[in-house]
Amino acid sequence: MRSAVKVVVAAALVLSACGSPVQSASSATESTPQAVAAEGTSTDGIVGDASDPVNEIAAAAIDDLQSYWAEQFPAVYGSEYTPVSGGFHAVVPSSGELPPCASSADDIAGNAFYCPGADVVAWDSEGLRPDLRQRFGDFVIPVVMAHEWGHAIQARVNFEGMTVTSEIQADCFAGAWAAHAVSDSTVFDPSEAELDSALAGFLYLRDEPGTSAESASAHGSGFDRVSSFRTGFDGGPMECKPYVDGSPPVLRLPFTSRSYADRGGDAPLAQIIDGVPEDLEDYWSLLFPELTGRPWQPLNPVVAFDPSDAPDCGGRSATGYVLFYCVPDGHVGFDAVDAMLRFYEQGGDFAVAALIATQYGLAGMAQAGIDADDQDASLQGDCFAGSWAASVLLQNRPTSGYTLSPGDLDEAIAALLLFRGEGDQSRQGSGFLRVEAFRHGVMDGAQACIQRSEPT
């Protein structure tokens, strides 16, 4: 991040004394095994320990993916689907036994891959999969399997393109299968929270910030990967078929200096807390008149408080809230001692910037007189957040000195998916929906966001 700001993300509109609190979610989603091998699942087709819980989930996914593509492949590509037949290898790298296409343990350690030469799917059952499951829940396992199946589909149609294009198309195919898992599959029944956690796993598997799209190992940024996943989820595999180099575009932001890269692009927390509100005021002072024909009414200074001494909002205590927009008093408040430090350490500097910015989205809609229920307003606010991201990215505000850094958009997505309090999902929508709204703002701008509802 340069000059303290990155991208803005808006949260739910709550036209009451205090906006809804935003609380940190654990980076590891605890869940009971909701995706174990179903009756008739071919766990005996796995080379490895078929009784391992991770491998049971993988086996269930394999059967469902084979059935899914047997149905979808003819509709998308006009020919019969040839099932993956070279084998499914649950590898323990420390044992020294390697799957086809791997020449050393390093080729599979912490990894999963599809090998077109042998028509094989392999994964590290000792490291990658258990680690992902612990961090992101059961459903991330079949989602990663669905990505590898995307590569198997590419092999069957002789797909040609850059590595990054191949990877994001496979993400798109994974999203298409995930939609099937949510609505049609009898094997998996993920909740919205489990889907959010699985999507967060894509951020864990993204390229390192600053990676070139031309790199032979490029998989795409978190923003690229989640965007493609959502394309498939919404439109099915037919929407993934047209992927070619450059379409859809991938977003690549280089680090501007070595020292900046060494810091990971993060600015100090104090700089975020001091600088973000000023830039948000600048953004809304320009945007609001353009959208409504009325001047923006600046908010009162932010209230950065110690949770042991929470301020009042409209005469009511804000104790228990870590982040809120106070409608009657016209200010944003947040716990600057515990919560924001935690968000900063878990999500990076833009996670903090994004969460503060959510409340300016509430203020913007309140001033515009938007009449919407909480969830609709929240998603509209997330869309406006994405439009601010586009503004920073395009450098189209001469009064702003901020630029995006590699990883900023990924941190925005992580904040929307993971930093949620109890009850936030029902008020704001799932993280999955919020990411889509944010992406809509990034790609289509603020005018598209205001069209989500009409001013009163």
Side-chain angles (χ1 to χ4, degrees), residues 99-371:
C101 307
S103 59
S104 71
D106 289 343
D107 291 337
I108 187 62
N111 198 11
F113 65 74
Y114 168 74
C115 174
D119 201 30
V120 159
V121 174
W123 62 92
D124 176 1
S125 66
E126 184 179 39
L128 173 67
R129 293 301 173 82
D131 181 61
L132 283 177
R133 185 187 182 203
Q134 181 180 12
R135 288 171 178 256
F136 303 112
D138 287 354
F139 192 59
V140 74
I141 302 301
V143 166
V144 174
M145 293 295 291
H147 170 90
E148 299 309 328
W149 237 264
H151 291 310
I153 298 306
Q154 292 166 344
R156 281 149 176 74
V157 299
N158 297 315
F159 175 84
E160 295 183 357
M162 296 167 57
T163 300
V164 71
T165 308
S166 170
E167 293 298 335
I168 62 174
Q169 186 189 51
D171 294 334
C172 185
F173 285 138
W177 175 83
H180 149 80
V182 169
S183 62
D184 301 327
S185 174
T186 59
V187 179
F188 300 96
D189 185 24
S191 67
E192 288 185 339
E194 288 166 331
L195 183 59
D196 287 351
S197 292
L199 197 59
F202 265 43
L203 299 178
Y204 176 76
L205 297 171
R206 74 192 189 280
D207 286 340
E208 285 298 314
T211 300
S212 168
E214 285 72 35
S215 169
S217 62
H219 281 58
S221 69
F223 185 83
D224 298 327
R225 303 199 69 180
V226 169
S227 293
S228 285
F229 185 95
R230 184 75 210 203
T231 295
F233 190 94
D234 288 342
M238 189 65 77
E239 291 296 312
C240 312
K241 180 181 178 180
Y243 275 46
V244 295
D245 291 346
S247 180
V250 294
L251 299 178
R252 282 292 182 267
L253 303 172
F255 285 114
T256 55
S257 71
R258 180 70 263 168
S259 61
Y260 197 45
D262 291 341
R263 297 198 308 271
D266 281 341
L269 175 60
Q271 192 176 350
I272 299 296
I273 290 174
D274 292 341
V276 165
E278 181 179 349
D279 194 68
L280 286 165
E281 288 287 350
D282 177 76
Y283 176 71
W284 281 101
S285 70
L286 297 173
L287 176 66
F288 195 79
E290 180 180 324
L291 294 180
T292 68
R294 305 196 305 270
W296 168 253
Q297 299 298 317
L299 302 190
N300 288 320
V302 298
V303 178
F305 60 87
D306 185 317
S308 65
D309 186 24
D312 287 344
C313 173
R316 292 165 46 187
S317 173
T319 298
Y321 285 72
V322 300
L323 174 69
F324 60 89
Y325 168 56
C326 178
V327 177
D329 297 342
H331 69 253
V332 169
F334 51 82
D335 168 3
V337 175
D338 296 332
M340 288 305 176
L341 177 61
R342 186 166 66 252
F343 297 151
Y344 180 81
E345 291 175 343
Q346 292 180 0
D349 59 350
F350 178 63
V352 174
L355 292 173
I356 294 174
T358 61
Q359 308 311 299
Y360 277 80
L362 308 189
M365 287 182 289
Q367 288 195 29
I370 299 297
D371 183 15

Side-chain angles (χ1 to χ4, degrees), residues 407-433:
D408 284 358
L409 293 176
D410 297 356
E411 290 181 14
I413 292 171
L416 290 170
L417 287 172
L418 298 177
F419 296 143
R420 307 175 66 78
E422 184 177 353
D424 283 350
Q425 187 163 295
S426 62
R427 289 190 297 267
Q428 301 172 350
S430 69
F432 196 59
L433 291 175

